[in-house]
Amino acid sequence: MRPTERPASGDVARAGPAPPLATPRALPPLPAAAAVGAPAELGAVAVIGLACRFPGASTPERFWQNLAAGVESISTFSTAELAASGIGPELSGQPGYVRARATLEGAELFDAHFFGISPREAAHTDPQQRLFLECAWEALENAGCDPTRSAGPVGVFAGVGPSTYLLSHLLSNPEFAAAADALELRLGNDRDFLATLVSYRLNLQGPSVAVSTACSTSLVAVHLACQSLLDRECQIALAGGAAVSFPQKRGYLYRPGGIVSADGHCRAFDARASGTVSGEGVGVVVLKPLADALAAGDFIHAVIRGSAINNDGARKIGFTAPSVEGQAAVIAEAHALAGVDPATITYVEAHGSATRLGDPVEVRALTRAFRAGTDQQRFCALGSVKTNLGHLDAAAGIASLIKTVLCLERRQIPPTLHYREANPQLELAGSPFYVNAELRDWPLDGTPRRAGVSSFGMGGTNAHLVLEEAPELRPGTSSRRWQLIVLSAATPAALEAATDRLAAHLRSHPEQELADVAYTMQAGRKAHRCRRFLLAASAGDAASALAARDAQRLQTNLEALPDRPVAFMLSGVGDHYPGMATGLYRDEPVFRRHFDSSAELLAPLLGADLREILFTDPGEPAPGAPGGTDLRRMLGRAAPLRGKSGEPPEAASIVQPAVFALELALAALWQSWGVQPTALIGYSLGEYAAACLAGVFPLADGLRLVARRARLLEQLPTGAMVAVALPEAQARELLSAGLALAAASAPELCVIAGPDAA
């Protein structure tokens, strides 16, 4: 199966009596650094981005819609579909054959060109790895993170299932197998190379770790990513997993006591539960230490307060069986490391595989862990995404995590499907738990909304996370009326699709600040060859112009542009006016910060505060003006260097430092927007500003120099200049006593200077 280009842009082996409850080991002591009441940021990790491809849902938004609506995304296959997958009637016609599986649409699609991958290499690469690479890119975009501009290393922690693609599609073709390069096939299909493939293709330079713990793989990957972040091995981490196997359209033989369902439905916690159903999917989250995410102003979907992993060891009836003791220990350890009281956790996304042994063991383990902190009953909801999607193998844990993140974000808990009557072995009546069977609001109860997420791998590797809803953040505001909206894409078709998506997003999310959208599009997206920009005053205005492709307002370029050097030209004085730069000072923090620095350094040199002179309402007296003189009058005329006759003599000493400070602040503002000069040129006073920007001397020295220069100029006799549109020889003929040719600016333009009277 060759990839088709995508448009740009643990369970038990058999049932039996429940094992006797082993004596639990002592729970780990509560770490002092994570004690209850410690700052929420301490040891916490923020989920700042997510992406997924699940059966029936290619985006987190669609996934949530399916969850909230109680959609079961498990398919049933016809005889013809099974035959096309190579499954004949001798198997599919058996009485115990169940024609059900949760399949992933578009598994063969891949935008190889976007990632710089050749068609041959793409054809040799397992779709699990291809899809995970695409989801990694989408998750980074969802996080508003361009790795090329990241301030620190980005790590990758991920795992996939075995490559059935290699066996069923590559090696099954004798001609292909004979010509294939063994190393090339291994690189594209061995799970060891999943994380490093992503790191290479996206140029991510943090830890890159392949994880493989069977069903708990992707949640273990999240735990390891959190540890790496908290150890400061990386600044941002991608974590997740993928599971896609071939042929996709196939069923299974049900055997009583096995791990698969008798009827193709996963009935977690229900008395009729008979096992799970296999499924496919891909999920990725982007993680960042909570303190860093808050400082950066990142959008936070949810917070991971603590996580833990362990293994059952031999404390169970068999290698594939679960362990109450092992699961209880990992849950309790996660509670302790999160520093939370179990009584404040009101939802648990369980492993919930619906096996006869697995569900009772899991609920007993949860009850034991919760009973270490609370005696309350039936206050915590239980759920399992496997009732929607089936068991996604290496991607099962990340599906559970993404579901729980969306629940916290939407403040609702979706139904666990097919639940009618509790399995009596769960003993829910005296436990802290009840099964949530319908969509319901998730109310607050004195603490932030908190949830647990479990994933248990066959073989005994257990993982549990404690999640909390994102902290309330004050929405961004901007006094700037017009916002610059930029888009870019690798191809013209992708640019058009991105334009449509942005227009639809702005229309469906009118509550979002356009300034926030503009910032994310500018700073959180990689710049591609095809580009488009728009200036808009509101979200509705932007959506309308984008949707209509308003040619008067949208500027588009579909060809790669070479880097074009930018020169900053800095002028002298002469064109100052009342209220000059007031809007910039009011609306632009970068401009304001740099001008404030200059004004504070100049104040003792000038005996005045430039901010009071420039930015005070003209109708009010200027506070701090020496001798009561209204210094605004010194800046309020488009006058030559030292003003016209009759102006106060202090004018130059104020005007020149003011213009110098304004030019430096304006240059800093342009640079903060990414406009970096490759050359600087100045005229008169602007020469000093250019030299300061170029690093010839530091700001403090430049301000002292300009202030002293202005004072010296004031001591000179008054004079004037006039531009004359004549050649130099004719201009000289007009010179009278006291006048001089100051400059021959051009063949037909000269400047004459002298005393005012002359």
Side-chain angles (χ1 to χ4, degrees):
M1 178 173 54
R2 292 185 177 275
T4 303
E5 183 176 352
R6 183 186 304 280
S9 67
D11 299 314
V12 298
R14 61 178 69 86
L21 299 182
T23 302
R25 67 172 181 173
L27 296 180
L30 191 67
V36 175
E41 296 86 351
L42 188 61
V45 172
V47 180
I48 63 170
L50 56 158
C52 64
R53 305 277 178 82
F54 295 137
S58 60
T59 65
E61 291 74 18
R62 183 61 183 175
F63 183 40
W64 173 254
Q65 292 170 11
N66 289 349
L67 291 170
V71 174
E72 182 185 45
S73 299
I74 295 174
S75 302
T76 301
F77 309 117
S78 67
T79 300
E81 288 176 313
L82 293 172
S85 296
I87 300 169
E90 66 280 0
L91 176 59
S92 64
Q94 294 188 34
Y97 192 82
V98 181
R99 305 175 175 214
R101 196 164 179 269
T103 59
L104 190 63
E105 293 183 5
E108 75 281 6
L109 302 179
F110 181 53
D111 193 352
H113 178 73
F114 181 84
F115 295 103
I117 296 176
S118 70
R120 174 185 170 87
E121 184 179 356
H124 290 178
T125 302
D126 187 344
Q128 295 181 113
Q129 303 208 21
R130 303 190 315 221
L131 291 168
F132 189 88
L133 177 60
E134 289 190 339
C135 278
W137 176 270
E138 292 171 7
L140 287 168
E141 286 221 323
N142 182 264
C145 173
D146 176 3
T148 62
R149 289 185 275 185
S150 175
V154 179
V156 183
F157 300 80
V160 294
S163 180
T164 57
Y165 176 75
L166 174 65
L167 299 174
S168 64
H169 287 276
L170 300 182
L171 297 183
S172 63
N173 184 328
E175 182 179 341
F176 176 87
D181 179 80
L183 178 60
E184 187 176 27
L185 291 179
R186 186 185 174 205
L187 293 175
N189 293 273
D190 194 318
R191 62 184 72 184
D192 287 354
F193 302 107
L194 169 69
T196 48
L197 169 70
V198 174
S199 296
Y200 174 69
R201 291 298 173 184
L202 303 186
N203 191 26
L204 310 181
Q205 298 170 16
S208 192
V209 181
V211 182
S212 183
T213 61
C215 323
S216 60
T217 291
S218 53
L219 206 64
V220 170
V222 173
H223 165 80
L224 295 176
C226 290
Q227 295 301 306
S228 184
L229 288 167
L230 297 177
D231 288 343
R232 293 295 174 178
E233 293 176 333
C234 54
Q235 183 190 52
I236 297 170
L238 294 168
V244 184
S245 61
F246 301 92
Q248 290 183 281
K249 295 181 179 181
R250 69 183 194 274
Y252 56 87
L253 272 175
Y254 168 73
R255 292 185 175 88
I259 66 172
V260 290
S261 167
D263 60 359
H265 300 290
C266 183
R267 306 177 187 276
F269 314 118
D270 192 80
R272 299 167 298 151
S274 60
T276 191
V277 181
S278 294
E280 302 175 342
V282 187
V284 181
V285 293
V286 182
L287 306 173
K288 194 175 190 179
L290 177 58
D292 293 356
L294 291 171
D298 292 319
F299 181 85
I300 300 172
H301 295 273
V303 174
I304 300 173
R305 286 289 301 267
S307 65
I309 60 173
N310 72 358
N311 191 273
D312 296 331
R315 300 169 296 180
K316 53 188 179 179
I317 61 173
F319 176 70
T320 61
S323 163
V324 171
E325 185 177 10
Q327 293 181 14
V330 79
I331 296 166
E333 187 172 357
H335 291 171
L337 293 172
V340 301
D341 183 345
T344 66
I345 298 173
T346 50
Y347 176 65
V348 170
E349 174 62 24
H351 187 71
S353 56
T355 57
R356 296 286 297 277
L357 183 57
D359 284 1
V361 166
E362 180 170 11
V363 173
R364 291 178 190 180
L366 280 165
T367 299
R368 177 173 289 175
F370 271 65
R371 284 289 176 250
T374 179
D375 293 327
Q376 296 182 51
Q377 296 184 8
R378 299 179 65 79
F379 68 90
C380 182
L382 283 180
S384 173
V385 75
K386 291 179 178 64
T387 63
N388 303 89
L389 305 177
H391 193 320
L392 305 192
D393 192 60
I398 199 67
S400 295
L401 175 62
I402 292 175
K403 172 190 171 181
T404 309
V405 167
L406 295 173
C407 290
L408 288 164
E409 196 171 0
R410 270 68 173 187
R411 301 176 178 177
Q412 289 184 306
I413 301 175
T416 292
L417 306 186
H418 314 304
Y419 180 79
R420 296 181 184 175
E421 180 183 355
N423 181 343
Q425 293 188 49
L426 302 183
E427 300 176 350
L428 289 177
S431 78
F433 308 104
Y434 66 93
V435 179
N436 187 70
E438 60 184 15
L439 178 67
R440 69 177 184 88
D441 292 334
W442 190 348
L444 277 176
D445 189 19
T447 62
R449 296 171 181 86
R450 289 177 181 150
V453 181
S454 291
S455 190
F456 307 130
M458 186 178 292
T461 296
N462 307 308
H464 188 80
L465 272 60
V466 176
L467 270 64
E468 184 174 284
E469 65 182 336
E472 290 285 348
L473 299 178
R474 195 166 48 195
T477 58
S478 175
S479 56
R480 190 187 302 161
R481 180 186 177 196
W482 294 93
Q483 299 295 334
L484 176 64
I485 310 296
V486 298
L487 299 103
S488 74
T491 65
L495 183 63
E496 297 306 323
T499 303
D500 289 335
R501 287 196 302 270
L502 181 57
H505 176 85
L506 292 171
R507 283 176 171 162
S508 60
H509 294 82
E511 77 284 357
Q512 289 191 350
E513 286 283 343
L514 186 61
D516 289 340
V517 175
Y519 177 81
T520 298
M521 299 301 289
Q522 293 173 33
R525 297 289 185 270
K526 184 177 179 178
H528 297 285
R529 175 174 63 88
C530 302
R531 304 185 185 188
R532 173 172 286 158
F533 76 85
L534 164 74
L535 282 170
S538 69
D541 175 41
S544 297
L546 290 167
R549 302 297 196 272
D550 188 336
Q552 297 297 317
R553 300 183 57 191
L554 266 63
Q555 300 297 318
T556 303
N557 186 79
L558 301 179
E559 298 298 328
L561 295 175
D563 289 337
R564 292 175 291 181
V566 175
F568 282 3
M569 303 181 69
L570 298 111
S571 67
V573 298
D575 289 329
H576 41 276
Y577 54 87
M580 183 176 180
T582 297
L584 289 174
Y585 186 83
R586 180 188 64 239
D587 298 340
E588 299 295 343
V590 172
F591 181 92
R592 183 167 57 250
R593 183 170 67 252
H594 282 81
F595 190 86
D596 284 347
S597 297
S598 295
E600 289 163 5
L601 289 170
L602 283 168
L605 302 175
L606 305 182
D609 190 329
L610 288 179
R611 294 166 292 191
E612 296 175 350
I613 298 170
L614 281 175
F615 309 130
T616 303
D617 188 324
E620 300 175 358
T629 304
D630 186 352
L631 296 180
R632 283 186 308 281
R633 297 172 62 85
M634 303 176 197
L635 301 174
R637 299 171 183 153
L641 176 65
R642 289 182 291 111
K644 298 177 181 177
S645 178
E647 278 194 330
E650 305 88 51
S653 63
I654 299 297
V655 170
Q656 294 199 17
V659 172
F660 182 83
L662 288 170
E663 289 186 341
L664 293 182
L666 185 58
L669 179 60
W670 278 98
Q671 289 175 300
S672 75
W673 289 339
V675 182
Q676 301 295 335
T678 56
L680 296 153
I681 187 171
Y683 167 73
S684 184
L685 179 71
E687 296 178 61
Y688 294 86
C692 190
L693 285 172
V696 174
F697 43 73
L699 174 64
D701 290 350
L703 292 170
R704 284 195 296 270
L705 176 61
V706 168
R708 180 59 177 157
R709 174 179 179 270
R711 288 291 185 190
L712 291 173
L713 286 172
E714 284 179 350
Q715 297 172 14
L716 298 175
T718 60
M721 294 185 292
V722 62
V724 179
L726 290 174
E728 178 181 350
Q730 295 182 36
R732 287 186 181 278
E733 295 175 358
L734 301 177
L735 297 180
S736 59
L739 294 180
L741 182 69
S745 303
E748 300 286 335
L749 182 64
C750 294
V751 177
I752 294 174
D756 289 334

